[in-house]
Amino acid sequence: MRMILVGPPGAGKGTQAASLVDSYRITHISSGDMLRAAVKEGTKLGNEADGYMKGGKLVPDEVVIGMILERIKKPDCEQGFMLDGFPRTRPQAEALDKAMTEVGVKLDAVVLIEVPDAMLEERAVGRRSDPETGKIYHLKYNPPPKDIEGRLVHRKDDTAEAVKTRVTKYHSETAPIVPFYEEKGILKRVDGNAKPDEVTQRIAAVLNS
Ligand code: AP5
């Protein structure tokens, strides 16, 4: 299975990917996680991306496209992959389409997780991530165990101000990829305004239908 998870910031893409990749035995590729790792390592790509990310702006297409197209060529993607956070612009969607057509493989599904804008800020601002396990928590909706609280990370772009920019960018830059996949007949819409387990079941249902 080769698929994409699309949705606004805080929609639950990372949370859902973590639950789904094991059942589908596919590789989870998060462009945001890859960029954050590059920032942490201080690579040339990371230094370039850092300023954009902190403010909630998109990293330029030419930087992200190369990074993801290289990643999906790796052996662990041969059995399939779940892209989370890519593509995020129409040029990114077109570049992915071209690259996959060239190697003769197809996307099976694009799942759009829909969550009202009014809920996104609270979800993102309350998020905490565990750098040791990669697990995503929420102070209110999915509280972390007390004994790991000290090591949890609050993302630099999870401020109310940056989230507003990210939501605006989602509507102006990312939402236009939805009709691109709708025309191909592979877009599946899922209501993400429910408990995480319920959303997982909804995604599994549309993927299996
Ligand atoms: P990225 O890391 O991709 O961030 P994002 O798309 O903004 O998405 P998030 O990670 O914020 O949210 P999510 O949907 O994964 O939600 P999560 O599951 O964590 O990108 C970050 C930045 O990198 C971008 O702004 C940009 O600068 C750059 N970038 C990345 N890709 C790029 C690209 N392709 N092109 C250009 N630039 C790029 O959940 C959020 C919170 O809600 C958590 O606390 C979780 O516990 C909670 N939660 C989840 N589900 C539920 C639920 N059902 N009910 C209640 N709470 C829930």
Side-chain angles (χ1 to χ4, degrees):
M1 158 106 61
R2 295 178 186 85
M3 62 167 292
I4 299 173
L5 280 182
V6 186
K13 302 181 294 295
T15 301
Q16 293 305 324
S19 306
L20 291 161
V21 287
D22 284 345
S23 7
Y24 290 90
R25 296 188 184 173
I26 53 179
T27 300
H28 176 205
I29 301 173
S30 157
S31 51
D33 286 351
M34 289 178 76
L35 290 167
R36 279 184 289 278
V39 171
K40 203 170 163 195
E41 284 164 25
T43 63
K44 186 169 169 270
L45 187 148
N47 292 337
E48 190 178 348
D50 195 28
Y52 295 101
M53 294 175 77
K54 273 194 283 208
K57 294 187 187 135
L58 292 184
V59 176
D61 283 339
E62 57 274 20
V63 176
V64 186
I65 290 171
M67 178 184 86
I68 295 293
L69 296 189
E70 276 307 306
R71 179 67 187 85
I72 61 175
K73 283 186 205 155
K74 298 250 161 90
D76 62 348
C77 292
E78 272 168 24
Q79 297 307 312
F81 52 75
M82 180 178 288
L83 288 172
D84 154 9
F86 182 96
R88 228 183 182 92
T89 62
R90 184 86 186 208
Q92 291 181 17
E94 285 165 1
L96 177 66
D97 198 50
K98 183 165 174 274
M100 290 184 69
T101 306
E102 277 168 9
V103 293
V105 294
K106 282 195 166 171
L107 272 175
D108 299 294
V110 176
V111 175
L112 171 63
I113 305 178
E114 297 181 300
V115 175
D117 283 4
M119 304 180 73
L120 301 174
E121 184 179 311
E122 190 196 14
R123 282 203 189 179
V125 172
R127 170 176 31 206
R128 298 291 183 275
S129 316
D130 183 351
E132 279 187 25
T133 62
K135 278 196 176 165
I136 304 168
Y137 295 96
H138 190 280
L139 296 178
K140 182 171 161 191
Y141 299 118
N142 181 18
K146 284 264 173 252
D147 59 325
I148 64 157
E149 273 177 358
R151 68 179 193 226
L152 297 179
V153 174
H154 188 214
R155 269 169 47 179
K156 285 187 272 188
D157 60 348
D158 276 346
T159 61
E161 199 187 351
V163 174
K164 280 192 185 78
T165 307
R166 286 160 61 198
V167 172
T168 304
K169 286 277 163 203
Y170 173 77
H171 288 295
S172 62
E173 307 283 329
T174 308
I177 72 172
V178 170
F180 179 81
Y181 291 117
E182 218 155 27
E183 280 162 26
K184 292 181 183 294
I186 53 171
L187 186 86
K188 322 254 180 200
R189 291 173 187 268
V190 169
D191 180 359
N193 184 8
K195 292 207 164 119
D197 288 352
E198 171 64 30
V199 179
T200 308
Q201 283 175 25
R202 291 176 185 177
I203 295 175
V206 297
L207 288 176
N208 298 335
S209 68

